[in-house]
Amino acid sequence: MARPREFDEAAVLDAAIQQFWRRGYEATSVRDLADEMGIAGASLYNAFGDKRTLYERSLNRYLDQTFRERIGRLEHSLPPRDAIVAFLQEIIKRSLNDRQRRGCLLVNSALESAPHDEELQHIMATFLSEVEIVFFCGASRWASVTIPFRKRNRRRTSPDFF
């Protein structure tokens, strides 16, 4: 019979996020992760399988706490154009207040690993397509609302979302 987990999965995923964010995927060892997460290496493998699976789960949690949370909060409370503007303003504010200048974990991950690793490239493409879909749908909804204005103002030849 398997022993119950003796750690908070959310807390250890948050610790893994911090380690991957600080050092990147390639430079982070399983030992680094276990130390940061405060669990034994065997517990890490039992709970998450391998480093790549933990990385993917960490990125997913990061997106839940940042991108998905922000979209969920903004898309239903603001018109699409305003939601996109607010989304970008929050990213700028967060970036300016980040004393460590870590950047976006998703973008960092895409730049570090994806060009050299087809499996990670696929994972990054999946996550980034989620971002693209949200912006496209939001921009499309906003564009459809403003079509009457665009027909009256024929000087505009391309969509002007902002």
Side-chain angles (χ1 to χ4, degrees):
M1 184 165 151
R3 290 178 38 193
R5 289 188 182 162
E6 297 179 5
F7 58 85
D8 176 0
E9 186 171 312
V12 297
L13 279 173
D14 289 342
I17 288 168
Q18 294 306 313
Q19 186 67 23
F20 285 129
W21 210 346
R22 187 170 35 257
R23 301 199 55 203
Y25 176 76
E26 296 296 330
T28 300
S29 70
V30 172
R31 180 178 296 235
D32 294 332
L33 288 163
D35 290 347
E36 181 77 18
M37 296 162 75
I39 62 175
S43 294
L44 187 149
Y45 283 111
N46 289 335
F48 300 103
D50 58 9
K51 178 180 159 182
R52 184 178 301 263
T53 302
L54 176 58
Y55 188 56
E56 187 174 353
R57 297 259 320 263
S58 298
L59 285 170
N60 222 341
R61 179 158 172 82
Y62 170 80
L63 287 175
D64 284 344
Q65 294 174 322
T66 57
F67 172 76
R68 293 176 186 135
E69 181 279 328
R70 193 175 296 124
I71 289 298
R73 182 170 32 83
L74 296 173
E75 77 175 335
H76 299 294
S77 63
L78 295 171
R81 176 190 180 276
D82 295 342
I84 291 171
V85 170
F87 179 90
L88 294 172
Q89 286 174 334
E90 284 186 25
I91 290 173
I92 292 167
K93 182 178 179 180
R94 183 178 175 166
S95 297
L96 292 173
N97 291 329
D98 180 9
R99 295 180 192 268
Q100 298 171 348
R101 302 291 185 234
R102 296 176 297 174
C104 172
L105 178 60
L106 180 61
V107 172
N108 294 350
S109 299
L111 293 172
E112 176 200 12
S113 302
H116 315 292
D117 185 319
E118 281 190 37
E119 187 176 339
L120 283 175
Q121 188 175 47
H122 176 70
I123 291 167
M124 293 300 113
T126 300
F127 287 141
L128 289 170
S129 69
E130 186 176 338
V131 175
E132 183 179 345
I133 288 167
V134 167
F135 277 102
F136 178 75
C137 290
S140 294
R141 283 191 332 169
W142 184 76
S144 66
V145 169
T146 60
I147 284 174
F149 171 77
R150 289 192 183 161
K151 287 181 180 175
R152 285 189 308 241
N153 185 354
R154 296 207 180 255
R155 283 183 263 162
R156 291 187 183 189
T157 58
S158 63
D160 180 16
F161 299 116
F162 298 100

